[in-house]
Amino acid sequence: MEVKLPTFNSVFSIDCVIFGFEAGELKILLIERNEEPYKDWLALPGYIVEQDESIDNAAERILYELTGLRDLHMQQFHTFGEVNRHPQGRVITVAYYALIRINGQKELKPITQYAKSAFWHPVNELPKLAFDHTEIFQTGFNKLRRRLNYQPIAFELLPEKFTLTQLQSLYEAVLNKKLDKRNFRKKMLSYGFLKELDEKQKGVSYRAAKLYKFDRRKYTKIFQNELNLDS
Amino acid sequence: MEVKLPTFNSVFSIDCVIFGFEAGELKILLIERNEEPYKDWLALPGYIVEQDESIDNAAERILYELTGLRDLHMQQFHTFGEVNRHPQGRVITVAYYALIRINGQKELKPITQYAKSAFWHPVNELPKLAFDHTEIFQTGFNKLRRRLNYQPIAFELLPEKFTLTQLQSLYEAVLNKKLDKRNFRKKMLSYGFLKELDEKQKGVSYRAAKLYKFDRRKYTKIFQNELNLDS
DNA sequence: TCAAAAGTGTTACTGATACACCCATGG
DNA sequence: CCATGGGTGTATCAGTAACACTTTTGA
């Protein structure tokens, strides 16, 4: 049975590429669509921008409605405007990305009916996604990789207290290559924005590692100047 | 007399930040508007995207129609989506930028009636621009500065044959700081993508400098790997 | 006592910076 | 012959890369 779909003219939408890190793997947030077109497909969380909200606000609202997640710091990274990227009409989409600690407590739960579910999926072996979302994801992933070189974004993905090995394995997951342990530690510690805690890892069956915290105050003090060129 | 303006709903537009270099100064391309709102104001070349063209194509078309310039390699850099950025309705604009040799031969001449004129203006002492175009320009300028560090964009702005001093003064104009002559030359030549010509500068009243060409073939060979992370 | 990961220093290389004088040319 | 920019080398410093063994801990 063929479903007849409405058509429409110019519409803006937002799509979100949200990265998380869990069990040594980099993941992104996907939803299962509950609406035509691409009903039942997996997709990036995304929806249409309202008349009276800025795109930045729209991005936060849409992510919340589709996944229950709030108050992340999202940043736009690219706008996709091919003519036929949406089967029902002309939709230009602004893609945003953000990083977040994956936290077992926080339930992922769509507020609207547009998504059946929301869940984390490893960035490797991604399935086919709806629309041009695979391309959007790839572009976002490249941006993330680039930005890792000049911004301490890794700390958004880790728990508040973390070991240097966890930090390193996150870098390795994003950059997709092995790093030298001694050089990595030397370099990270030399920046001076890691605070060593009086605490150690617990519940591991080997020598427990020291825990560290990211000291955002020190970071902004050290890198004040470079922040201007950020956007 | 108050002019009554039509209102409209969602519209996409494109705005272009086009950089050129002339007489040791970095310049951008402005138009004088011939349409309400902001009639007679100076603005970035920009207009509305049609239903059936991709945003990349729209950018090329719009720039051509407003200035007569064609075939530049434009790249989007940011999308501006505040609710009230346009007085007549909701307009989200995708900003593009490009670099071009300023060439006395090539006349700047609007094809449509929307612009009265198009001309180069130094990036320093920019006047007030229509809409949020001052902000758009600033964001584009920051991007340019950033990109100069990892891409040979300077060569798009210079004549085909140029001296090392010209190249240096372009870098100085973009980065807005003085560079050391010896170090600059050493570094540029060490990359290996400058081809020394058998020719010298003419018509100067001091020792004539050697002319160089940018060797794009060598460049892409050397930096193949990094190009992937480009966008 | 074993398995598993934590933790630790030195050397070599590469790239960036700082710095000042003589040279060639046209007027 | 002078004013103007062209052209050149060296020493120091900072950051990166390569590389392997001992220590701690829980099971």
Side-chain angles (χ1 to χ4, degrees), chain A residues 19-68:
Chain A
F19 292 96
F21 188 65
E22 192 181 43
E25 266 190 323
L26 192 64
K27 302 189 173 177
I28 61 160
L29 195 49
L30 295 180
I31 61 162
E32 195 181 354
R33 285 177 62 85
N34 197 23
E35 254 201 342
E36 293 292 349
Y38 290 100
K39 184 157 153 58
D40 302 326
W41 282 58
L42 301 183
L44 298 174
Y47 211 71
I48 291 166
V49 178
E50 303 285 347
Q51 277 287 322
D52 57 352
E53 62 182 351
S54 73
I55 54 175
D56 288 351
N57 290 343
E60 294 194 13
R61 175 185 61 78
I62 288 167
L63 182 67
Y64 173 65
E65 290 181 358
L66 290 170
T67 69

Side-chain angles (χ1 to χ4, degrees), chain B residues 163-165 185 199-201 204 206-211:
Chain B
T163 69
L164 290 178
T165 302
R185 285 161 181 245
E199 233 176 310
K200 296 203 166 179
Q201 223 177 2
V204 291
Y206 46 81
R207 177 175 177 181
K210 279 182 208 158
L211 291 172

Side-chain angles (χ1 to χ4, degrees), chain A residues 9-12 50-55 76 78-79 81-83 90 92 143 146 150 229-231, chain B residues 9-12 50-55 76 78-79 81-83 90 92 143 146 150 229-231:
Chain A
N9 291 331
S10 305
V11 174
F12 321 124
E50 303 285 347
Q51 277 287 322
D52 57 352
E53 62 182 351
S54 73
I55 54 175
Q76 71 162 257
H78 196 79
T79 296
E82 289 303 315
V83 175
R90 185 70 194 277
I92 292 181
K143 272 278 185 327
R146 248 217 136 81
Y150 54 89
L229 285 173
D230 193 18
S231 69
Chain B
N9 291 330
S10 304
V11 174
F12 322 123
E50 303 285 346
Q51 277 288 322
D52 57 353
E53 62 183 352
S54 74
I55 55 175
Q76 72 162 255
H78 198 79
T79 296
E82 288 303 314
V83 175
R90 185 70 195 277
I92 292 182
K143 271 277 184 327
R146 247 217 136 82
Y150 55 88
L229 286 174
D230 194 17
S231 66

Side-chain angles (χ1 to χ4, degrees), chain B residues 72-134:
Chain B
L72 344 194
H73 181 64
M74 291 211 274
Q75 256 188 309
Q76 72 162 255
F77 65 88
H78 198 79
T79 296
F80 294 81
E82 288 303 314
V83 175
N84 292 315
R85 51 173 303 283
H86 193 295
Q88 278 169 274
R90 185 70 195 277
V91 182
I92 292 182
T93 198
V94 183
Y96 278 71
Y97 83 137
L99 310 170
I100 185 181
R101 293 181 237 287
I102 295 182
N103 180 338
Q105 314 339 303
K106 251 185 235 162
E107 208 187 349
L108 295 177
K109 193 172 155 193
I111 313 295
T112 65
Q113 302 307 309
Y114 306 131
K116 275 189 222 165
S117 65
F119 57 93
W120 291 105
H121 192 287
V123 297
N124 300 319
E125 349 127 17
L126 262 201
K128 244 191 186 171
L129 300 180
F131 305 103
D132 53 355
H133 285 189
T134 300

Side-chain angles (χ1 to χ4, degrees), chain B residues 3-18:
Chain B
V3 182
K4 187 117 179 274
L5 297 173
T7 59
F8 41 78
N9 291 330
S10 304
V11 174
F12 322 123
S13 69
I14 300 287
D15 287 299
C16 305
V17 181
I18 311 296

Side-chain angles (χ1 to χ4, degrees), chain A residues 6 16 18 25 57 100 112 114 139 163 178 189 191 195 212:
Chain A
C16 305
I18 311 296
E25 266 190 323
N57 290 343
I100 184 180
T112 65
Y114 305 131
T139 307
T163 69
K178 286 278 164 211
L189 292 172
Y191 289 137
K195 193 156 55 188
Y212 290 80

